[in-house]
Amino acid sequence: MDTPGLADVIRYVDPDPAAPTAVLTFDDGPNPPDTVTLLDLLAREQVTAVFCLVGQQVEAHPDVVRRIVADGHVLANHSFRHDNLSQLTPDAVRADLTRTLDAIHAVVPDAPVPFFRAPFGHYGHAIVVAAELGMRTLDWQLAVEDWVPPGVDELVRRLGGVEPGGVVLLHDGGGDRSQTVAAVARLIPRLRGEGWAFTVPR
Ligand SMILES: [Zn+2]
């Protein structure tokens, strides 16, 4: 395999304007209660998503990680404590991502972790190291700055920028993410009403 680089990060999954899909990804958790509220919503709506887990959050909330996996969602490694990995040597990146994988597998031993998402979207050596550890790098087509957060109406407006196949960056962790959950609750029926479906990379 050629060495993977920025051209290989995933921003779209099977884009098809005739049958548009969106990929919902949630970073920085698990983070109850917002993650639990979100899981309830996704279960009700029968939407599968990607959860990009932070290792120390996994250790703090293992029960929520078990629920994420039991509900059929896809996992990504989002580093152990959300450091900027672009500042680190390859060995240090490997240590961080391995520690995070170990934390996840201590809770859900059989769950695959096929993806890596870089904290802050900063890469350095992380794309290559993630690939060596069996993970493809998941970037995004649309970010809506829900980490601010700007209000539910504004989030829903910004989410209108999703393109067919687009990977949407959202956050269930890192602070109070109730606005994100409320915006997703409005986004799902709206997109479905316009003929969209939801998918995940595999
Ligand atoms: Zn993050």
Side-chain angles (χ1 to χ4, degrees):
M1 189 178 93
D2 292 336
T3 303
L6 268 180
D8 301 300
V9 303
I10 300 167
R11 299 192 174 99
Y12 295 85
V13 176
D14 300 330
D16 179 358
T21 56
V23 178
L24 301 182
T25 68
F26 297 97
D27 287 18
D28 299 356
N31 174 48
D34 294 322
T35 305
V36 174
T37 309
L38 175 64
L39 287 166
D40 290 344
L41 166 68
L42 296 176
R44 218 162 42 238
E45 294 283 4
Q46 296 186 290
V47 169
T48 304
V50 182
F51 283 81
C52 305
L53 305 176
V54 170
Q56 62 185 7
Q57 294 297 110
V58 169
E59 292 186 343
H61 306 291
D63 51 329
V64 184
V65 176
R66 286 186 204 98
R67 165 99 190 264
I68 290 169
V69 171
D71 284 4
H73 299 294
V74 173
L75 302 185
N77 182 330
H78 194 39
S79 85
F80 194 78
R81 62 175 125 248
H82 212 276
D83 292 328
N84 180 353
L85 302 183
S86 74
Q87 308 290 326
L88 305 182
T89 65
D91 282 347
V93 173
R94 188 173 296 105
D96 184 299
L97 298 186
T98 300
R99 185 180 182 193
T100 308
L101 287 170
D102 289 348
I104 294 170
H105 286 141
V107 177
V108 282
D110 300 324
V113 184
F115 300 104
F116 160 68
R117 172 161 279 158
F120 315 105
H122 294 165
Y123 290 113
H125 300 285
I127 295 172
V128 172
V129 173
E132 289 169 356
L133 295 171
M135 297 177 287
R136 287 183 291 154
T137 293
L138 190 59
D139 201 273
W140 55 87
Q141 176 254 312
L142 179 66
V144 293
E145 298 192 8
D146 60 325
W147 56 85
V148 171
V152 179
D153 287 347
E154 177 61 15
L155 282 177
V156 172
R157 190 190 70 75
R158 293 178 188 175
L159 286 164
V162 64
E163 298 169 3
V167 175
V168 181
L169 170 64
L170 292 158
H171 295 77
D172 62 317
D176 176 353
R177 297 294 174 249
S178 54
Q179 289 190 16
T180 296
V181 178
V184 170
R186 286 167 53 183
L187 175 74
I188 291 171
R190 171 179 294 195
L191 281 182
R192 281 198 168 130
E194 297 170 358
W196 289 62
F198 295 89
T199 191
V200 287
R202 295 287 189 184

